[in-house]
Amino acid sequence: MTASLLSFYIFSTVILLSSLMVITSKNPVHSVLFLILTFFNGAGLFIILHAEFLAMILIIVYVGAVAVLFLFVVMMLDFKISLDKNNILQYLPIGFFVGVVFISELIIVLINTKFDLSNIQILVNPMIKFENLTNTEAIGSILYTDYILYFQLSGIILLVAMIGSIVLTLRTREGVKRQSIQSQLDRNYKSTITMVDPKSNEGVDI
Amino acid sequence: MGVFTIILPEIFLFLSSTLLLVVGLFYKRVNIINLLTFSILILAAVLVFYQPSSFGFNNSFVNDEFSKTIKMLILIGSASTLLMFSPSRRKINIDIYEFPILISFASLGMMVMVSSNDLLSMFIGLELQSLSLYVLASLNRNSLQSSESGIKYFILGALSSGLLLFGISYIYGFTGNTNFNLISATYDKNSLGLLIGIVFVCSGLAFKISAVPFHMWTPDVYQGAPTPVTGFFALAPKIAAVAIFLRFLYSSFGETAADWQQIIIFLSIASMIFAAFAAIAQSNIKRLMAYSSIGHVGYILIGMACFNFEGVQSLIIYLILYLVMNLSVFSFILMMKRKDEYCENINDLSGLYKHNPFYAILIALSMFSLAGIPPLAGFFGKFYIFMSAIKSDFYLLAVVGIVASVVSAFYYLRIVKIIYFDEPSEKFDEFNSSSLNLLFFISSGIVILFFVYPSPILNMGNYAAKTFF
């Protein structure tokens, strides 16, 4: 057993177990921590495939940003997921049935497919012109040229996501007093201070 | 520069809606922004009309007769939604300038989707479209139903995207390509894995067009979403999803049509029969229209299953007439107001013939047309569909379709009966919104007078179907 095969089995076992824990653990903080473990092992799988760029991106983006954000939200909201046993039992049969159908389909495919190893080289390395580059260079050289359309459209999707989250959450309340630096700076002593000469027993007009 | 002229309408739509987004931030006149977005959508439709047939971006983006026709339909549908939005926005609490902009981003996503010749751009276009739709569905934050419909649509939409991606990964794994033409070139007929990939992609797309058994979200989302958004759901995204469904199957798996025809036939029969019976018990008119749209998808899928020139032609004609009939019904639903409150129950229509006889006749004729009674437009749509099914020897589909349309005539005619024969209820408010009246009269005019001069729409079907055969 080669080292890469061994590490493949280790990583994928940990992924399966920890993703199972994500959905079954009662404490949401534990769920998020298991999610982070899943991401780390996924990055390990990418490294086995010689996709070190994707591995690093996965860790930076998903672990560094997304999962930590989840963790913040979970900790701040302080909600408890109650796992209702009845609920699980109610949906278990249909879920089990669908899962069995799924798995047996996949097994049938696996049995009936003759893996053509002459083709595998193209599948693993579809872009022959990048054979001697590191994959960071390879991604960089097509992302802004051949894949420019997808790249820009993904940007538009993010823009829509931003507009959507602002539209759904922003509330403008009436009567909120805000600091207006401009009007504060515009004030000078001439417009705010008046000199009066009050007489005794008469007071002043304001 | 050359390559960017291929996506000129898309670039125009994107840049101008981003500009309007910024303008809207400082100039908070929703009506003006709405009007500007309307003219942008119309301009984009004009640009699409003058687009030459071409392809680019490594053959992942195509402009052909088919995509041009569908894009124009989508843009017309989106623009009419904006006309429905402007009179109703205050009342249903969606008076924000982002509404027209989200509509135009959704149309952008649909245009990309329709033109895509690659699994990647298909998925990205689909996501751009769906993301805008999720936000639109839950736009009315004060209504529990609207939030519910948004969440439901989001969760089920995410699930369907997951199925779609799973299928895409199979297809990529077994062919090594994502481009439709290359997939068709490297297709291995005996590959079981590829077949499973097709099944999963079909299920994902069936979610988007709400064909049975992937229809569960439709009634709730249609009922809960703000009415102009419901109108939009019925008009544009369905047309776009049908178009990409057709292009995916025809360009990448055209040579082994028998493999996927069974799936389409099953979806079609199930949708027609289910919708015909489930709609009978409905009392909310938006919910009824949801079931009606499920049924119409069934008829549209007959055209897709045929896999020949007549099939595509009849499908395009049906899509155009479906758009027009839905426009007429939804613009009328938005006029159903009593004491400034929107009525959504079918029983609220009773006595309409007494107070507004002219409107009563038009809406009754629209219902007859949806039921497929000659000589109205809906009849011809169904007629061409069934003709193409018979020509391609799909007798079962034609028979089931005719039976289903007889059953569905019941609930369309029930509305006519309520309008004319039920105990009259109170009078509706004056139908004084000019934009809704315009939409209603134009669309019901087309529905009624289609048989007098059908050739423009028939020619459009002809023109679009040439792409594939």
Side-chain angles (χ1 to χ4, degrees):
Chain A
M1 194 180 273
T2 59
S4 69
L5 201 60
L6 187 67
S7 42
F8 168 75
Y9 282 118
I10 293 176
F11 283 135
S12 23
T13 320
V14 177
I15 285 187
L16 286 177
L17 290 179
S18 58
S19 49
L20 198 68
M21 289 305 288
V22 172
I23 52 170
T24 50
S25 72
K26 280 191 176 161
N27 189 334
V29 177
H30 291 174
S31 287
V32 178
L33 291 176
F34 275 115
L35 192 67
I36 293 174
L37 185 63
T38 314
F39 287 144
F40 264 112
N41 285 285
L45 284 183
F46 275 130
I47 287 180
I48 297 175
L49 290 171
H50 300 289
E52 64 275 357
F53 181 72
L54 286 183
M56 293 309 136
I57 285 289
L58 190 73
I59 290 181
I60 293 171
V61 175
Y62 281 88
V63 179
V66 177
V68 171
L69 208 65
F70 273 178
L71 206 57
F72 270 127
V73 172
V74 166
M75 285 176 172
M76 277 199 286
L77 289 183
D78 186 34
F79 61 86
K80 291 199 171 54
I81 300 172
S82 58
L83 284 174
D84 198 351
K85 284 277 184 298
N86 290 332
N87 238 347
I88 292 178
L89 284 181
Q90 191 187 341
Y91 294 119
L92 197 64
I94 181 96
F96 187 74
F97 174 72
V98 171
V100 165
V101 170
F102 233 75
I103 285 186
S104 43
E105 268 184 359
L106 295 187
I107 289 173
I108 291 170
V109 171
L110 209 62
I111 291 169
N112 287 313
T113 306
K114 276 191 241 96
F115 283 102
D116 188 4
L117 289 179
S118 64
N119 203 17
I120 209 98
Q121 203 48 44
I122 302 170
L123 291 182
V124 172
N125 189 6
M127 303 233 167
I128 298 149
K129 58 179 172 176
F130 298 126
E131 218 158 3
N132 297 321
L133 297 177
T134 66
N135 67 67
T136 315
E137 281 173 304
I139 289 176
S141 58
I142 56 167
L143 189 59
Y144 303 106
T145 51
D146 294 353
Y147 285 66
I148 182 74
L149 183 68
Y150 310 135
F151 184 72
Q152 295 290 345
L153 284 171
S154 315
I156 300 175
I157 293 182
L158 293 181
L159 176 68
V160 170
M162 205 166 79
I163 298 172
S165 51
I166 291 174
V167 164
L168 292 181
T169 52
L170 183 74
R171 282 164 208 273
T172 45
R173 262 181 288 175
E174 298 293 318
V176 179
K177 295 203 166 97
R178 288 178 204 281
Q179 181 182 24
S180 165
I181 295 175
Q182 184 64 44
S183 65
Q184 283 177 340
L185 291 178
D186 276 350
R187 277 162 74 98
N188 56 18
Y189 74 94
K190 277 178 197 158
S191 60
T192 45
I193 299 176
T194 49
M195 302 293 282
V196 287
D197 197 6
K199 285 174 190 159
S200 175
N201 288 334
E202 284 184 9
V204 284
D205 292 329
I206 298 173
Chain B
M1 182 59 213
V3 73
F4 289 107
T5 51
I6 300 163
I7 51 167
L8 191 64
E10 284 82 3
I11 292 181
F12 169 73
L13 196 61
F14 170 65
L15 288 182
S16 37
S17 31
T18 325
L19 183 72
L20 280 184
L21 190 67
V22 179
V23 169
L25 198 59
F26 298 104
Y27 183 69
K28 291 194 186 303
R29 296 278 297 280
V30 180
N31 233 351
I32 305 289
I33 301 279
N34 190 31
L35 204 67
L36 286 174
T37 318
F38 176 80
S39 38
I40 284 169
L41 288 173
I42 296 295
L43 265 178
V46 173
L47 281 180
V48 168
F49 184 75
Y50 287 110
Q51 247 342 44
S53 295
S54 53
F55 57 91
F57 296 102
N58 291 328
N59 201 7
S60 67
F61 194 94
V62 287
N63 268 320
D64 46 27
E65 292 87 353
F66 179 73
S67 68
K68 276 161 69 178
T69 316
I70 297 285
K71 275 185 195 176
M72 278 191 277
L73 288 185
I74 290 168
L75 287 168
I76 290 169
S78 313
S80 343
T81 315
L82 295 185
L83 287 184
M84 292 187 209
F85 164 69
S86 63
S88 60
R89 65 202 156 91
R90 291 245 162 71
K91 191 67 216 158
I92 38 183
N93 203 11
I94 50 170
D95 189 15
I96 47 173
Y97 76 92
E98 283 95 344
F99 181 95
I101 289 165
L102 280 171
I103 292 269
S104 89
F105 275 123
S107 327
L108 176 67
M110 286 183 257
M111 284 165 76
V112 171
M113 209 161 110
V114 168
S115 277
S116 61
N117 196 32
D118 190 293
L119 292 169
L120 260 174
S121 50
M122 169 177 108
F123 181 71
I124 291 179
L126 203 66
E127 281 308 295
L128 180 54
Q129 176 235 183
S130 330
L131 198 63
S132 321
L133 296 186
Y134 304 145
V135 178
L136 284 171
S138 47
L139 211 53
N140 183 359
R141 292 182 308 193
N142 294 359
S143 143
L144 202 61
Q145 274 193 334
S146 170
S147 314
E148 183 205 333
S149 85
I151 292 284
K152 256 186 194 157
Y153 194 27
F154 176 65
I155 290 175
L156 288 173
L159 180 70
S160 76
S161 297
L163 288 178
L164 192 74
L165 279 179
F166 190 68
I168 288 177
S169 70
Y170 261 78
I171 292 174
Y172 179 61
F174 281 90
T175 60
N177 284 304
T178 55
N179 190 290
F180 289 170
N181 301 349
L182 293 177
I183 289 173
S184 148
T186 51
Y187 186 87
D188 174 15
K189 273 180 196 162
N190 303 318
S191 166
L192 204 58
L194 205 52
L195 194 63
I196 287 198
I198 300 176
V199 171
F200 274 105
V201 173
C202 284
S203 345
L205 289 172
F207 251 110
K208 305 288 178 197
I209 59 173
S210 73
V212 178
F214 304 104
H215 63 280
M216 312 73 109
W217 56 273
T218 323
D220 291 337
V221 172
Y222 271 51
Q223 190 182 1
T227 314
V229 178
T230 312
F232 183 60
F233 281 170
L235 299 174
K238 236 167 221 184
I239 296 179
V242 166
I244 186 60
F245 204 166
L246 190 139
R247 187 190 290 282
F248 166 72
L249 291 175
Y250 281 26
S251 345
S252 31
F253 302 109
E255 277 159 40
T256 48
D259 282 352
W260 50 261
Q261 263 170 338
Q262 305 166 25
I263 305 173
I264 303 295
I265 289 171
F266 170 74
L267 289 176
S268 160
I269 291 181
S271 312
M272 287 187 295
I273 292 182
F274 172 82
F277 286 99
I280 290 175
Q282 302 308 320
S283 60
N284 182 300
I285 192 156
K286 277 158 81 181
R287 221 176 159 79
L288 181 89
M289 288 312 288
Y291 283 105
S292 145
S293 87
I294 295 175
H296 285 300
V297 162
Y299 300 113
I300 289 168
L301 287 176
I302 295 181
M304 203 190 292
C306 290
F307 191 59
N308 52 23
F309 183 81
E310 284 83 17
V312 183
Q313 190 191 13
S314 61
L315 179 140
I316 299 282
I317 295 168
Y318 201 93
L319 280 179
I320 298 172
L321 297 177
Y322 167 79
L323 178 95
V324 174
M325 291 187 288
N326 265 308
L327 258 184
S328 112
V329 175
F330 275 100
S331 53
F332 185 76
I333 292 176
L334 274 167
M335 287 196 277
M336 284 165 59
K337 266 198 221 171
R338 210 165 263 156
K339 300 204 177 90
D340 214 26
E341 290 293 328
Y342 279 99
C343 306
E344 285 178 5
N345 271 335
I346 298 175
N347 288 332
D348 289 325
L349 281 167
S350 60
L352 182 69
Y353 86 101
K354 249 187 180 168
H355 309 300
N356 306 81
F358 186 54
Y359 284 84
I361 284 186
L362 287 185
I363 198 73
L365 285 175
S366 289
M367 286 300 154
F368 280 133
S369 164
L370 280 169
I373 288 168
L376 299 162
F379 164 73
F380 289 99
K382 280 185 180 148
F383 174 74
Y384 288 119
I385 289 273
F386 294 146
M387 279 300 282
S388 65
I390 288 167
K391 265 188 200 156
S392 338
D393 294 336
F394 287 124
Y395 298 111
L396 176 70
L397 274 179
V399 171
V400 172
I402 289 168
V403 171
S405 62
V406 170
V407 177
S408 63
F410 170 78
Y411 58 84
Y412 293 123
L413 296 186
R414 190 162 71 104
I415 296 181
V416 179
K417 172 222 155 206
I418 287 172
I419 292 176
Y420 279 94
F421 303 114
D422 273 15
E423 195 64 25
S425 52
E426 256 180 277
K427 193 175 183 309
F428 282 123
D429 289 356
E430 283 296 309
F431 299 147
N432 52 10
S433 155
S434 52
S435 61
L436 287 179
N437 273 320
L438 183 76
L439 271 184
F440 182 64
F441 287 128
I442 290 181
S443 49
S444 32
I446 296 177
V447 165
I448 295 162
L449 298 177
F450 171 74
F451 74 97
V452 180
Y453 187 53
S455 52
I457 292 178
L458 300 188
N459 285 340
M460 267 172 96
N462 224 337
Y463 172 76
K466 268 193 310 201
T467 311
F468 293 104
F469 298 101

